[in-house]
Amino acid sequence: MMNLFEPKQASISMHRRANHPPVWLFLALIALPACGGGIEGVRARAPTDLQCDPQSIQVRPASPSGPPAGPYYAEGCDKLWRYVSPPGGNTEGTDVKAIITKQATFDLSCSAEQLKFSTLNADTFGAEGCGKKASYILDCPVGGCKAVQNTQAQ
């Protein structure tokens, strides 16, 4: 009959485990942002997209409890972009101000030069001009973003 608690058997088992990293270490390493993903990927890409000095750009998560991949917003030099930056993946950005301005010029019957733009909360933005104002929610399903009017133009 074989004794499962034999010291020789235990030392072989311990030796085998010592030669392999624990599974949790492997999982932690693949979960870390790699290749410029996450907020660092946004900080690396935003200066080019916004055509702005990196010190003039503020980067913030869209939601404090959001996933590490984003979305993030980068704002500077009178521009606002939304980014998704998965760990180990490509950082992709969208010009939020251009999307909302295009919709607001139609909804408010106002030229882009006459519009004032504001951030109301995480994904809600305001546009005001020509004596009217409206709020917009940025909707970004897979494939692109669109501005959805959240109020009647007033």
Side-chain angles (χ1 to χ4, degrees):
M1 182 171 197
M2 193 171 166
N3 183 353
L4 296 177
F5 299 105
E6 184 178 308
K8 185 176 180 183
Q9 191 73 7
S11 67
I12 290 171
S13 176
M14 290 173 70
H15 175 71
R16 283 189 188 136
R17 274 189 250 141
N19 287 337
H20 299 286
V23 173
W24 65 265
L25 179 60
F26 173 73
L27 293 173
L29 289 174
I30 63 171
L32 289 174
C35 303
I39 199 163
E40 293 307 318
V42 174
R43 287 190 176 123
R45 177 147 175 203
T48 302
D49 291 337
L50 277 66
Q51 300 174 345
C52 195
D53 178 30
Q55 282 72 29
S56 301
I57 298 173
Q58 293 181 338
V59 177
R60 65 175 171 81
S63 168
S65 61
Y72 296 98
Y73 285 101
E75 187 170 12
C77 300
D78 201 31
K79 296 180 182 164
L80 176 67
W81 280 58
R82 180 185 187 273
Y83 290 93
V84 176
S85 187
N90 292 331
T91 299
E92 297 183 17
T94 302
D95 186 344
V96 173
K97 196 168 182 180
I99 291 169
I100 301 223
T101 299
K102 182 177 180 181
Q103 187 64 45
T105 58
F106 176 79
D107 293 339
L108 304 179
S109 301
C110 196
S111 71
E113 296 77 28
Q114 295 174 299
L115 291 176
K116 288 193 299 184
F117 183 80
S118 59
T119 301
L120 302 176
N121 65 39
D123 288 318
T124 307
F125 304 91
E128 185 174 354
C130 300
K132 300 176 187 174
K133 59 184 174 180
S135 66
Y136 296 89
I137 295 174
L138 191 65
D139 182 27
C140 297
V142 175
C145 294
K146 63 183 176 182
V148 179
Q149 191 173 358
N150 194 31
T151 59
Q152 291 289 357
Q154 302 175 10

